[in-house]
Amino acid sequence: DDEDFPALAVAPDGNAAVAWVSFTPGLDRDERSRTWSSAPKDFAFLAKPVGGDRLWLRTQRPGGAWSEPIAVTAGGGDFYKCAVAIDGRGRTWIFWSENTSFPTKPLANFEIFAATLADGKVSAPLQLATAAGTDLAPVATTDAAGRIWLAWQGARDNAFRVVERHQLADGTWSPERIVSTQSGNCWSPAIAAAADGRVAIGWDTYDKGDYDVWVREFAANGTLSAARPVANTADYEARAALTYDKQARLWVAWESSGATWGKNWGALDRSGIGLYRNREIGLRVLAGNEWLEPAAPVATALPGSRVRRGPRNLPVRRPEADTASTRKAGEEAETVGAVTYNNIARLACDRDGRIWLFARGREGTFQTPLGGVWMNYAASYDGDRWTGPTILPHSDNLLYNSPAVAAHP
């Protein structure tokens, strides 16, 4: 099976939980990838139905081994991402977005569901989103009072909004509340909780014709503050990651690239920036009402610009200017085509107050039949300097692989 979209949570007492989605294909992987010496007489074997998606959970007690995988759902579903959190009573909550139309209806409609694990038993699913529009990509955290907050991307009024629900004092769930403020589409929610009771939810939006990152905080009593722009230039700024440090300052990381990222890049026009090129990690810190930046830029601790090498990855050849070269005999030509490949940031603050930033980066010139190889890199910030990059073994995968991170108490 394919296993992806992990989610991770660690409680203040050290109990941990990890959830993920598995996919069972119709054809065995070896059967799909084998070569043929002659054309098969019958292609009926290609029609074998897939086994679909299934949600899994493993738990760990402090210092103990991980439990055996626990099936949260039956097989045969159609899921997109999941989240996990542990409430103040020690119950593990698992959240996921599920296509309720699958497999009988062609028009997908994803809804948000939840289940709890208590005494080794998984509860019946609880549907937390009931609006007519589709609901996707849940994220969850536990606040200082032990209440779980849940955010997701939901279609409301012909656009995607970021919405939230949270546990109330009696254990029930609050009514749905729209967090994002833009009229255009909003995507990729992120969430974090502070020790002083605040909760922050971030997202990116295409409201003004380019991707921007915004964030909004909730006070300990649930009061909603005004939305704040984190990165709001004409450039590409998306996929926020959040964490609070020991001083209750909010750290926000995101992907950034030029204004033409994802635009004007094809067979006839290459004036823009291709999807897999030129992405870096941006980082800001919100202290009260003031935006700050680390004393040293995070780029110093992540993989730097790399020249794309290899016959399949040569940079686009641009005609040289009609001027005489200024190089002297024996001097090397300047290297061109170097780009940065850092994306999908994750943030965490460890028990000693260090900030950890994880990002995916392209690793050298490794290639697979499906594309380049990407690895996770770690960098840590300890007051005035960054340490890194540190490559994480066994993290090789394709570009869009969304790792999970959490700090132990």
Side-chain angles (χ1 to χ4, degrees):
D1 290 355
D2 297 321
E3 296 166 322
D4 208 347
F5 301 121
L8 180 64
V10 181
D13 61 3
N15 280 299
V18 61
W20 70 95
V21 177
S22 71
F23 171 73
T24 301
L27 288 178
D28 179 80
R29 187 182 301 276
D30 293 337
E31 179 70 15
R32 284 181 285 162
S33 61
R34 76 184 183 96
T35 58
W36 295 85
S37 58
S38 61
K41 297 180 180 180
D42 186 359
F43 288 91
F45 69 95
L46 296 175
K48 182 179 179 180
V50 300
D53 295 331
R54 193 173 195 180
L55 186 64
W56 297 88
L57 176 73
R58 297 182 75 174
T59 61
Q60 182 191 48
R61 295 189 178 276
W66 286 95
S67 70
E68 291 298 315
I70 302 168
V72 179
T73 64
D78 183 16
F79 303 155
Y80 182 65
K81 295 189 175 181
C82 63
V84 64
I86 303 171
D87 68 17
R89 297 168 54 186
R91 294 181 301 175
T92 298
W93 284 79
I94 313 98
F95 308 92
W96 68 96
S97 49
E98 179 175 355
N99 180 7
T100 57
S101 298
F102 184 81
T104 58
K105 300 178 182 178
L107 183 62
N109 180 32
F110 284 81
E111 301 291 358
I112 302 297
F113 292 87
T116 60
L117 176 71
D119 299 324
K121 296 181 180 179
V122 178
S123 71
L126 169 67
Q127 187 169 345
L128 291 178
T130 57
T134 202
D135 297 273
L136 297 163
V139 291
T141 192
T142 305
D143 68 14
R147 299 172 301 180
I148 292 178
W149 289 66
L150 176 71
W152 69 90
Q153 172 185 322
R156 306 290 186 270
D157 301 323
N158 297 317
F160 276 114
R161 318 290 187 199
V162 172
V163 297
E164 70 87 16
R165 295 185 71 177
H166 59 273
Q167 287 180 321
L168 302 175
D170 61 1
T172 61
W173 288 87
S174 68
E176 177 182 298
R177 177 164 46 172
I178 295 179
V179 179
S180 57
T181 56
Q182 291 79 16
S183 59
N185 285 317
C186 299
W187 293 290
S188 300
I191 195 167
D196 63 5
R198 284 178 295 149
V199 171
I201 296 175
W203 66 93
D204 63 57
T205 178
Y206 202 74
D207 188 55
K208 62 182 179 65
D210 62 89
Y211 293 95
D212 299 309
V213 173
W214 287 68
V215 70
R216 205 166 187 184
E217 289 187 293
F218 299 78
N221 62 4
T223 302
L224 184 60
S225 69
R228 300 174 185 265
V230 181
N232 195 31
T233 72
D235 289 342
Y236 164 82
E237 297 142 335
R239 290 178 177 164
L242 312 177
T243 195
Y244 282 98
D245 63 18
K246 296 299 183 181
Q247 291 75 43
R249 296 174 299 193
L250 178 63
W251 292 64
V252 186
W254 66 91
E255 287 180 13
S256 66
S257 186
T260 59
W261 179 86
K263 304 175 182 178
N264 304 331
W265 185 264
L268 302 179
D269 185 354
R270 294 203 171 189
S271 60
I273 302 172
L275 295 180
Y276 293 88
R277 299 171 65 90
N278 284 14
R279 273 192 280 187
E280 303 180 34
I281 302 300
L283 184 64
R284 300 184 79 187
V285 184
L286 181 61
N289 289 315
E290 183 180 7
W291 283 108
L292 308 175
E293 294 185 358
V298 68
T300 61
L302 292 175
S305 297
R306 300 183 177 189
V307 178
R308 303 186 73 184
R309 295 170 293 179
R312 297 184 181 180
N313 298 290
L314 291 175
V316 177
R317 183 179 296 279
R318 294 180 173 86
E320 294 184 2
D322 293 330
T323 58
S325 174
T326 59
R327 292 195 307 274
K328 298 178 181 179
E331 289 183 343
E332 293 291 335
E334 294 181 359
T335 300
V336 296
V339 293
T340 304
Y341 301 95
N342 297 323
N343 63 95
I344 309 181
R346 296 290 185 267
L347 286 171
C349 178
D350 69 19
R351 61 188 176 190
D352 296 322
R354 283 187 299 265
I355 296 296
W356 287 84
L357 186 145
F358 301 84
R360 291 190 64 74
R362 181 169 171 164
E363 178 55 30
T365 58
F366 297 153
Q367 284 287 314
T368 73
L370 298 179
V373 175
W374 296 72
M375 306 284 288
N376 288 341
Y377 291 86
S380 62
Y381 185 74
D382 193 5
D384 60 356
R385 67 183 183 275
W386 289 94
T387 300
T390 302
I391 193 170
L392 302 185
H394 308 295
S395 63
D396 52 296
N397 210 306
L398 302 181
L399 166 63
Y400 188 75
N401 177 267
S402 53
V405 61
H408 268 272

